[in-house]
Amino acid sequence: MISKKMKNYLKPEANFWSGRSSANQLYLHEKIKCIDLQNDTLPKTKKKSFSILGYACDEGVKRNQGRIGAAQGPNTIRKMLAPLSNHFSDQIEILDVGNIICNKEDLESTQQETSHSIAALLHHNMFPIVLGGGHDLAYAHYNGIKKQFPDKTIGIINLDAHFDLRKVETQGNSGTPFYQIAKENESFKYLCLGIQKEANNPELFKTANELNVKHIENTQFTIENKNVVFTKVKDFISSVDHIYLTIDIDGFSSAYAPGVSAPSPMGFSIDIALETIQLICKSEALLSIDMVELNPKYDIDHCTARLCSRLIYNIIHWLSFP
């Protein structure tokens, strides 16, 4: 239970977890447990625990002049996760802990409550899987990790077409989270994989250089260049205490992910993304992950939401069987 009253919190809805029925938890929806962060006590267990938290907010996308609709992302991903086959043991626990929403365009309040919730989950030794929503989630997510690990160096690995290093003019938005993090922390360790020149103006490259941001462009973030990618990722991981992984679905080629706020026809492929994510999961440095920018409004046959659900499924698998 989180003692602080949250005005933007919605408890989990069991009806999102439905599908075929079995007597032996053959499907993921039969394994999921719903926990109300405001009224239920977070379980104390020795099991490997994963907590799914939704960030049902696209106010940051709206402020960044993007296509709104990402607020529907968390529940859509839940629906695509629900019918997947359950190959996880009884020693693996997966909880749905509800959604943080955005009321009255108050992005800042939504971010604060999200940070508080993530810190609480980490405090209870649960691995947060946070579903966006816009990439403004990253600012909240990082701050939640820092609340729990204030003396540790947190490295950010972002799979994305964009740096999201825009300077804050009046208010934060989905394009500013990593700039905000950089300006509020002495140590800023950031590696971005899949950057596209066409999607980042020269000023953003200049900012990235000034902040010593490491990156690999989409033309080099390929399976053929796997050894170079892996070396850079391993070097980055070894330079920090912990890793926060954020996956922006718009970094994938729109052949795989059409349902996003900013589609990328020349984005990266599933093969290099999967192998890189697996490498990060196996490093034992990973603390928390999020997945952002799914926009169900523009999806085709839920293929982008299905991609998100399969990525989450694999992440749980890799973290459960190191």
Side-chain angles (χ1 to χ4, degrees), residues 102-316:
C102 185
N103 286 312
K104 299 179 181 179
E105 303 181 338
D106 188 356
L107 174 63
E108 289 69 28
S109 174
T110 299
Q111 290 176 317
Q112 288 172 7
E113 291 190 10
T114 302
S115 296
H116 184 73
S117 300
I118 290 169
L121 294 171
L122 289 167
H123 177 73
H124 284 82
N125 296 318
M126 295 181 176
F127 186 94
I129 298 173
V130 191
L131 311 178
H135 216 163
D136 38 283
L137 166 58
Y139 178 67
H141 199 155
Y142 183 88
N143 284 332
I145 295 171
K146 289 298 289 186
K147 285 179 190 291
Q148 185 61 22
F149 299 98
D151 300 321
K152 299 294 184 179
T153 302
I154 309 301
I156 305 165
I157 300 180
N158 180 22
L159 273 67
D160 198 344
H162 311 91
F163 283 120
D164 288 339
L165 284 169
R166 293 185 181 276
K167 296 179 180 179
V168 180
E169 296 180 358
T170 55
Q171 296 175 301
N173 59 53
S174 64
T176 66
F178 302 110
Y179 183 82
Q180 291 174 271
I181 292 168
K183 290 302 175 180
E184 293 178 10
N185 294 271
E186 279 188 31
S187 174
F188 179 59
K189 301 286 188 177
Y190 181 32
L191 171 63
C192 200
L193 306 173
I195 285 294
Q196 297 183 27
K197 280 189 174 179
E198 303 89 340
N200 297 270
N201 66 45
E203 287 296 321
L204 292 170
F205 274 92
K206 180 181 177 183
T207 300
N209 185 58
E210 290 171 350
L211 295 173
N212 196 30
V213 173
K214 312 297 181 186
H215 74 277
I216 298 178
E217 292 185 21
N218 60 316
T219 53
Q220 297 300 309
F221 189 52
T222 64
I223 199 68
E224 294 79 12
N225 201 37
K226 173 181 167 180
N227 291 339
V228 173
V229 172
F230 274 27
T231 297
K232 194 152 191 171
V233 171
K234 288 177 181 177
D235 287 346
F236 182 80
I237 292 173
S238 68
S239 71
V240 299
D241 296 316
H242 298 296
I243 292 293
Y244 152 44
L245 173 63
T246 178
I247 304 169
D248 190 326
I249 299 302
D250 72 21
F252 284 90
S253 166
S254 52
Y256 309 110
V260 295
S261 298
S264 300
M266 298 184 70
F268 48 75
S269 298
I270 290 174
D271 51 9
I272 186 60
L274 275 178
E275 296 222 18
T276 303
I277 294 167
Q278 183 177 12
L279 173 68
I280 296 165
C281 289
K282 297 294 185 181
S283 72
E284 299 185 358
L286 186 61
L287 277 181
S288 190
I289 72 119
D290 63 41
M291 200 164 291
V292 301
E293 302 285 356
L294 165 67
N295 191 328
K297 181 178 178 180
Y298 298 100
D299 210 357
I300 300 171
D301 195 26
H302 298 304
C303 69
T304 314
R306 294 180 200 277
L307 170 61
C308 294
S309 71
R310 298 301 177 94
L311 289 170
I312 292 164
Y313 190 98
N314 277 280
I315 287 167
I316 294 174

Side-chain angles (χ1 to χ4, degrees), residues 65-122:
Q65 303 176 35
R67 305 191 299 181
I68 61 172
Q72 305 305 315
N75 289 340
T76 304
I77 296 172
R78 286 180 172 99
K79 290 178 182 179
M80 296 302 106
L81 272 168
L84 299 183
S85 296
N86 174 29
H87 290 274
F88 301 109
S89 76
D90 292 340
Q91 296 307 306
I92 304 300
E93 187 173 60
I94 307 174
L95 309 177
D96 181 358
V97 297
N99 285 341
I100 310 292
I101 63 171
C102 185
N103 286 312
K104 299 179 181 179
E105 303 181 338
D106 188 356
L107 174 63
E108 289 69 28
S109 174
T110 299
Q111 290 176 317
Q112 288 172 7
E113 291 190 10
T114 302
S115 296
H116 184 73
S117 300
I118 290 169
L121 294 171
L122 289 167

Side-chain angles (χ1 to χ4, degrees), residues 1-4 35-43 116 120 124:
M1 182 189 303
I2 294 179
S3 57
K4 181 181 177 182
I35 297 290
D36 180 349
L37 289 179
Q38 291 278 244
N39 298 297
D40 297 337
T41 300
L42 289 170
H116 184 73
H124 284 82

